[in-house]
Coordinates of all heavy atoms in Angstrom, one line a residue:
K19 N -11.0 20.2 -1.7 CA -10.9 19.9 -3.2 C -12.2 19.4 -3.6 O -12.6 18.3 -3.4 CB -9.8 18.9 -3.4 CG -9.4 18.7 -4.9 CD -8.2 17.8 -5.0 CE -8.4 16.5 -4.3 NZ -7.2 15.7 -4.4
R65 N -12.7 14.2 1.7 CA -11.7 13.5 0.8 C -10.4 13.5 1.6 O -10.3 12.8 2.6 CB -11.6 14.3 -0.5 CG -12.9 14.3 -1.2 CD -12.9 14.9 -2.6 NE -11.9 14.3 -3.5 CZ -11.7 14.6 -4.7 NH1 -12.4 15.7 -5.2 NH2 -10.9 14.0 -5.5
S66 N -9.4 14.3 1.2 CA -8.1 14.3 2.0 C -8.2 15.3 3.1 O -7.1 15.6 3.8 CB -7.0 14.7 1.0 OG -6.7 13.6 0.1
R85 N -14.6 8.8 4.5 CA -13.6 9.3 3.6 C -13.9 8.8 2.2 O -13.8 7.6 1.9 CB -12.2 8.8 4.1 CG -11.0 9.4 3.4 CD -10.8 9.0 2.1 NE -9.5 9.5 1.6 CZ -9.3 10.2 0.6 NH1 -10.4 10.6 -0.2 NH2 -8.1 10.6 0.2
A86 N -14.4 9.7 1.3 CA -14.8 9.2 0.0 C -13.5 9.0 -0.8 O -13.0 9.9 -1.5 CB -15.7 10.3 -0.7
G87 N -13.0 7.8 -0.7 CA -11.7 7.5 -1.3 C -11.1 6.3 -0.6 O -11.7 5.7 0.2
A88 N -9.8 6.1 -0.8 CA -9.1 4.9 -0.3 C -8.4 5.2 1.0 O -8.6 4.5 2.0 CB -8.2 4.3 -1.3
G89 N -7.4 6.1 0.9 CA -6.5 6.3 2.1 C -7.2 7.1 3.2 O -7.7 8.2 2.9
Y90 N -7.1 6.7 4.4 CA -7.7 7.4 5.5 C -6.6 7.9 6.5 O -6.9 8.0 7.7 CB -8.8 6.6 6.2 CG -8.4 5.1 6.4 CD1 -7.8 4.7 7.6 CD2 -8.7 4.2 5.4 CE1 -7.4 3.4 7.8 CE2 -8.4 2.8 5.6 CZ -7.7 2.5 6.8 OH -7.4 1.2 7.0
N112 N -12.4 5.0 -6.6 CA -11.7 5.9 -7.4 C -10.4 5.3 -8.0 O -9.6 6.1 -8.6 CB -11.3 7.2 -6.6 CG -10.5 7.0 -5.4 OD1 -9.9 5.9 -5.3 ND2 -10.4 7.9 -4.5
V116 N -7.1 6.9 -10.6 CA -5.7 7.0 -10.1 C -4.8 6.2 -11.0 O -3.7 6.7 -11.4 CB -5.6 6.6 -8.6 CG1 -4.1 6.7 -8.2 CG2 -6.5 7.4 -7.7
T232 N 1.7 8.0 -7.2 CA 0.3 8.5 -7.1 C -0.3 8.1 -5.7 O -1.5 8.0 -5.5 CB -0.6 8.0 -8.2 OG1 -0.5 6.5 -8.2 CG2 -0.2 8.5 -9.6
A233 N 0.6 7.8 -4.8 CA 0.2 7.3 -3.4 C 0.2 8.4 -2.4 O -0.9 9.1 -2.3 CB 1.1 6.1 -3.0
R234 N 1.3 8.6 -1.7 CA 1.3 9.6 -0.7 C 2.8 10.2 -0.7 O 3.7 9.4 -0.9 CB 1.0 9.1 0.7 CG -0.4 8.7 0.9 CD -1.3 9.9 1.0 NE -2.7 9.6 1.3 CZ -3.6 9.3 0.4 NH1 -3.3 9.3 -0.9 NH2 -4.9 9.0 0.7
K281 N -3.1 17.1 -5.8 CA -3.3 15.7 -6.1 C -4.6 15.5 -6.9 O -5.7 16.0 -6.5 CB -3.5 14.9 -4.8 CG -3.6 13.4 -4.9 CD -3.3 12.7 -3.7 CE -4.1 13.1 -2.5 NZ -5.0 12.0 -1.9
G283 N -5.2 12.5 -9.0 CA -5.5 11.1 -9.4 C -6.9 10.8 -9.4 O -7.5 10.2 -10.3
A284 N -7.6 11.2 -8.3 CA -9.0 10.8 -8.2 C -9.9 12.0 -8.7 O -11.1 11.9 -8.5 CB -9.3 10.5 -6.7
Q285 N -9.4 12.9 -9.4 CA -10.2 14.1 -9.8 C -10.8 13.8 -11.2 O -10.4 14.5 -12.2 CB -9.3 15.4 -9.9 CG -9.3 16.2 -8.6 CD -10.7 16.6 -8.1 OE1 -11.6 15.8 -8.0 NE2 -10.9 17.9 -7.7
Ligands
3PG417 C1 -7.4 8.3 -2.1 O1 -6.8 8.0 -1.1 O2 -8.6 7.9 -2.3 C2 -6.7 9.1 -3.1 O3 -5.5 9.5 -2.7 C3 -7.6 10.3 -3.6 O4 -7.6 11.4 -2.7 P1 -8.5 12.7 -2.9 O5 -9.9 12.3 -2.7 O6 -8.0 13.7 -1.9 O7 -8.3 13.2 -4.3

Side-chain angles (χ1 to χ4, degrees):
K19 187 172 57 185
R65 296 185 63 180
S66 289
R85 191 284 190 239
Y90 45 87
N112 59 17
V116 179
T232 56
R234 288 290 182 273
K281 184 161 59 118
Q285 269 307 47

